[in-house]
Every structure is written in C-alpha cells, then in structure tokens.
C-alpha cells in the first residue's frame, strides 16, 4: 500500500506545485499589468498636466491679445477721428513711475527731436504733452508740474497758459487782467505754442483770482477714459520756441543783450 501511495503523493505534490506556479505567474502578470497601468496613468497625468499648462499659457496670451484688441478698437472706432496726417494714434507702453499717473512712456518709432514738444489728445480732449527724454517719448499729462501749453478762454479767445501748481491743482495762468472771463467759460487749445492746433477742448474755468497784473483761474478739465493704452499724438511741425514762463523770455532777452 505504501508503494501505491507514493505515486499518488508525488502526483499531488506536482499538482500543488503547478497550482502554486500558476498562482505565482498570475499574480506576477497581474502585478505587471498593475505597474504598466500605473506607468500609463502617470504618463497620461503628466501629459494632461503639460496640456493644462499649455492651455493656461494660451489663455493668458489670448486674454492679453483680447485686451489689446479691445483697446485698439475703442481708440479707432469710439474716439474722435482725425484726418490730419500729423495726428497719429500711438500706444502707451507703461507708466514712467509706479504710483505716479501723470507720466507715461509712449511707443514712437519716428525720428526723435529732443527740441520737439507734441500734444496728446484722448477722447477728443487735450490731456497733456509729450517730449523726447533719453531718446524715448515721455508723455506728461495735465496735473504734472512739467506740463504746460497755451489756451484760449471763452468766446473772445482770451489767452492764457495751462500749468500745474505744486499742490497738483491745474490752473490757467497769465490771463491779462483787463480781459473779461467768467466761471464756466470753455477752455480750448490756442495753437500759438506750436504744440497743439487750435480748438481742442481742455475743460472749463472754475474760481478766478487776481494775481498782480494777471488773472489766475482754476481749471476743471474734462474727464477722459482711463483706458490710456492708446492716445492721439499731435505734431504741428512747428518748432517750439515759446517758453512756459514769460519771466524766462525776459531773462533770455536780457542775456542776449549782454552778449
């Protein structure tokens, strides 16, 4: 009986061994599939992350392009249109200094003359001037102490000069005391400084004060859009020989006579 039991035991052992091997191979194959699935999923996750990053980049670029389009469309279609070849739509690049909103850098590819002063127009209103600084065009807006240009007041075209005081208030100065002006009179550019042409609206007269031989009036400038991405640049082609302060002209004449 023992001799008959041994073959059966051997067969059973072999069967169990095959079962164990099959189970091992199955587990091994399942583990291989699991690892492959994990690797595939990890690769898919990586690819999806890369696609998300790429889409985010494209979305940012799209939003920037959309904003640029909107600003350009606004400037070309909703603002005042000029047929004069000396009035050019230009792009504002950035503020010159963070926290200061009266100086901006302007993209201007034409030949730059440091002696030239341009006028800046936005929404049909004169909002400042532009000068070449270190071979770049700097926009200097109303409300900046360095901004000044010649204006007319009221129906009688009373002359005056727009400038800004140290406290930031915008005034019309050097108004002849014998001229008649009143609160609410419209202020427009005179064009006699070679910066603007005549008739661009600036604002209206506020409080009026006597200053020795001149009158001084507060200016209430017209409100313009804060979308400063594009502005109109006025080039009258007239060399600027006018100085802001009449005292400077007197001093210049005295110096020339001394020579």
């Amino acid at each position: 009986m023992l001799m008959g039991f041994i073959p059966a035991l051997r067969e059973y052992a072999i069967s169990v061994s095959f079962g164990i091997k099959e189970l091992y191979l199955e587990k091994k194959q399942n583990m291989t599939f699991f690892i492959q699935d994990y690797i595939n999923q990890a690769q898919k996750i990586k690819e999806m992350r890369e696609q998300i990053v790429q889409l985010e980049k494209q979305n940012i670029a799209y939003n920037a392009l959309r904003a640029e389009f909107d600003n350009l469309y606004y400037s070309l279609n909703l603002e005042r249109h000029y047929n004069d070849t000396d009035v050019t739509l230009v792009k504002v690049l950035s503020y010159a200094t963070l926290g200061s909103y009266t100086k901006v850098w302007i993209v201007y590819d034409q030949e730059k003359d440091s002696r030239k002063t341009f006028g800046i127009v936005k929404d049909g209103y004169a909002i400042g001037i532009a000068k070449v600084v270190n071979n770049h065009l700097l926009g200097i807006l109303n409300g900046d102490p360095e901004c000044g240009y010649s204006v007319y007041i009221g129906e009688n075209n009373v002359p005056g000069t727009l400038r800004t005081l140290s406290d930031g208030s915008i005034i019309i100065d050097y108004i002849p005391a014998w001229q008649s002006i009143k609160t609410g009179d419209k202020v427009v550019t005179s064009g006699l400084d070679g910066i603007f042409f005549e008739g661009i609206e600036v604002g209206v007269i506020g409080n009026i004060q006597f200053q020795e031989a001149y009158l001084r009036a507060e200016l209430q400038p017209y409100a313009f859009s804060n979308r400063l991405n594009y502005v109109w640049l006025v080039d009258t082609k007239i060399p600027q020989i006018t100085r802001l302060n009449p005292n400077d002209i007197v001093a210049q004449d005295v110096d020339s006579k001394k020579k």
Side-chain angles (χ1 to χ4, degrees):
M1 291 183 63
L2 181 62
M3 295 298 294
F5 177 74
I6 292 175
L9 183 62
R10 182 183 300 115
E11 184 177 350
Y12 174 76
I14 292 173
S15 177
V16 170
S17 176
F18 280 158
I20 292 173
K21 288 182 179 179
E22 287 178 357
L23 179 63
Y24 169 76
L25 291 175
E26 182 181 355
K27 294 295 183 182
K28 181 180 179 182
Q29 187 176 26
N30 290 340
M31 181 62 69
T32 301
F33 289 155
F34 174 79
I35 293 173
Q36 289 177 346
D37 289 342
Y38 174 81
I39 293 174
N40 291 337
Q41 289 176 359
Q43 181 64 29
K44 288 181 180 179
I45 291 172
K46 180 182 178 182
E47 292 175 356
M48 290 178 66
R49 284 177 177 170
E50 291 175 350
Q51 290 177 1
I52 290 172
V53 170
Q54 188 64 29
L55 288 172
E56 287 178 345
K57 290 181 180 179
Q58 293 176 356
N59 187 54
I60 292 172
Y62 167 80
N63 289 335
L65 183 61
R66 178 70 186 184
E68 183 73 8
F69 169 80
D70 288 343
N71 288 316
L72 184 58
Y73 178 84
Y74 175 86
S75 298
L76 287 175
N77 293 280
L78 301 182
E79 292 192 8
R80 176 177 176 178
H81 289 255
Y82 297 97
N83 296 321
D84 195 326
T85 56
D86 297 331
V87 181
T88 308
L89 188 67
V90 292
K91 180 175 176 56
V92 174
L93 183 62
S94 67
Y95 288 114
T97 305
L98 289 178
S100 176
Y101 306 117
T102 59
K103 284 189 173 72
V104 294
W105 292 114
I106 296 173
V107 178
Y108 187 66
D109 298 327
Q110 304 298 322
E111 183 179 353
K112 299 176 179 65
D113 184 352
S114 60
R115 299 168 299 176
K116 178 69 179 175
T117 302
F118 301 89
I120 300 177
V121 175
K122 179 71 175 177
D123 297 344
Y125 306 132
I127 68 167
I129 62 175
K131 295 181 178 181
V132 177
V133 177
N134 297 327
N135 204 37
H136 297 284
L137 193 61
L138 179 66
I140 307 169
L141 307 183
N142 297 343
D144 191 282
E146 297 181 35
C147 178
Y149 48 90
S150 177
V151 297
Y152 282 146
I153 305 168
E155 297 179 354
N156 295 325
N157 289 343
V158 177
T161 300
L162 180 146
R163 67 188 192 94
T164 302
L165 300 180
S166 58
D167 62 2
S169 57
I170 306 173
I171 63 168
I172 306 300
D173 213 350
Y174 311 119
I175 306 168
W178 62 88
Q179 297 280 9
S180 177
I181 62 172
K182 64 183 184 299
T183 300
D185 278 348
K186 289 186 178 181
V187 178
V188 299
T189 56
S190 72
L192 295 178
D193 49 15
I195 299 174
F196 290 98
F197 48 80
E198 181 182 344
I200 303 177
E201 296 182 349
V202 181
V204 296
I205 292 295
N207 185 43
I208 302 170
Q209 301 174 350
F210 287 93
Q211 297 285 328
E212 297 181 357
Y214 294 96
L215 298 177
R216 173 182 292 179
E218 295 178 356
L219 175 71
Q220 299 173 357
Y222 292 122
F224 59 89
S225 168
N226 289 325
R227 302 176 71 165
L228 274 177
N229 303 78
Y230 289 92
V231 295
W232 295 96
L233 194 69
V234 177
D235 183 0
T236 63
K237 305 299 182 182
I238 301 174
Q240 277 78 53
I241 58 175
T242 305
R243 295 173 180 264
L244 175 60
N245 193 330
N247 295 329
D248 294 337
I249 299 176
V250 174
Q252 183 185 25
D253 292 340
V254 171
D255 291 339
S256 63
K257 289 179 181 178
K258 288 181 180 180
K259 294 179 181 180

